[in-house]
Amino acid sequence: MSTPDGFSELDLAILHALQIDGRAPWTRIAAAVGADATTVARHWHAMAEQSLAWLTAWPTPERWSASTDVAVVLLEPGTAESILDELAGLPWVLSVDETSAGALLLVAASGGLPMLSARMREVEGCGAAVRRMDVAAAIVAEDSGWRLRALARSQERLMRDTRPGERPRPPRPEVVAELATVLEADPRLPAAAIAAQLGVSEATARRTVDRAIAAGQIRVGCDLAMPAAGFRRGAVLWARATDPEQAAGRAARLAETHRVGILVGAAPLYVGVRARSLTALAAIEAAWGEGVEVTDRWTVLRARKRNGHLLDEEGRSVGRVPPSW
């Protein structure tokens, strides 16, 4: 049965499963979604060939907090399309969204705050006029944690690693960075091929991948053309709260939320939401809870880039710029 928006119910279930674990065997995904492995693989390859869905190795909040400074940068409205295309081609510009207030960039740097300052000079060197820049004190949630919610809880459990034990120590930051580069090119790359690229044994490569993922340094999942799944509307909410950390945590748990940051500013809460209609904003804000004052709302007119993937007007991946910062 097909949804009105382009994906079938089975497609959505497969995508949700891959959001949870992008490296899971087709047999485990098949068991979770109630289909055979051949059918699951066929549906996935059809979506991938149409650029409606793609696998990705996401940089996580844990990795950002360990080695990265992030800024949310607002450009003046009316920035030329050629400038936005040039900015989207930069590996340290992780996302580009056109909003009702101007183009919004997510910029990353690993060389401390002076490097963020240098990034701003490079943005301006492309011909962009920076209207506002907010440095992140913390990234609480980002796109890799957003879920379609097509699976029932029992199906989700089949996709999760339920092995007991303490969370392992992550590999060294430089190893994580090298592994992220390898997986970014092919998130389902077999352990033997990863070992060849890292110059280690297959067993070491497998343990390194498992440790990095279990420690939250890398999240291997999938992304998709949001309009095809019915999510044709997005918004950015700015807010202040009596307890910003608690409010950010509540925002991150909302079904519609895909990005949450605590920034340095008068209204420090930065929240990206996606929905089927902007009329849902009132309910989203009400669900956020008490003690939160929303100070501004921007409509997302178009997503141009997300986690290294260039997007067309229908949200499909039409190119890749490997993230590097």
Side-chain angles (χ1 to χ4, degrees), residues 15-263:
L15 293 173
H16 187 175
L18 285 167
Q19 285 179 326
I20 296 171
D21 185 354
R23 289 180 61 82
W26 294 125
T27 50
R28 180 147 60 94
I29 295 172
V33 304
D36 64 84
T38 301
T39 299
V40 167
R42 186 176 69 250
H43 275 249
W44 164 253
H45 290 304
M47 290 185 282
E49 285 176 2
Q50 297 175 68
S51 299
L52 290 172
W54 52 95
L55 295 168
T56 183
W58 300 90
T60 63
E62 293 90 340
R63 184 179 168 203
W64 277 340
S65 64
S67 61
T68 307
D69 288 297
V70 177
V72 177
V73 180
L74 178 66
L75 306 183
E76 289 288 350
T79 301
E81 191 164 356
S82 59
I83 294 175
L84 295 179
D85 287 341
E86 184 175 355
L87 291 170
L90 298 173
W92 41 266
V93 175
L94 301 184
S95 71
V96 180
D97 292 295
E98 292 185 54
T99 80
S100 54
L104 195 63
L105 315 180
L106 188 65
V107 173
S110 59
L113 295 179
M115 179 61 76
L116 276 184
S117 178
R119 297 292 196 227
M120 290 307 96
R121 289 193 292 274
E122 291 185 63
V123 168
E124 292 174 335
C126 293
V130 175
R131 181 181 179 187
R132 171 176 165 181
M133 170 187 174
D134 294 273
V135 176
I139 299 295
V140 179
E142 38 62 58
D143 294 82
S144 74
W146 183 83
R147 298 287 182 263
L148 279 164
R149 303 202 176 194
L151 298 177
R153 290 184 182 274
S154 58
Q155 293 172 298
E156 287 189 64
R157 283 195 290 271
L158 292 174
M159 290 302 305
R160 298 189 188 282
D161 184 355
T162 57
R163 290 174 296 181
E166 296 182 1
R167 200 178 201 189
R169 292 181 57 187
R172 299 188 309 276
E174 61 272 21
V175 174
V176 172
E178 189 177 3
L179 178 61
T181 299
V182 172
L183 291 178
E184 200 280 331
D186 182 0
R188 290 181 69 87
L189 196 67
I194 295 172
Q197 294 199 42
L198 296 182
V200 297
S201 69
E202 182 175 344
T204 298
R206 185 175 290 106
R207 284 195 302 271
T208 301
V209 172
D210 289 345
R211 285 173 57 205
I213 292 174
Q217 296 295 306
I218 295 174
R219 187 171 291 131
V220 180
C222 84
D223 202 358
L224 61 142
M226 294 301 162
F231 299 97
R232 295 185 172 274
R233 296 292 181 265
V236 177
L237 306 179
W238 296 87
R240 61 172 63 98
T242 51
D243 187 336
E245 289 189 8
Q246 185 181 72
R250 291 203 306 269
R253 291 190 290 273
L254 296 177
E256 300 85 358
T257 299
H258 63 102
R259 291 178 193 160
V260 179
I262 302 175
L263 309 183

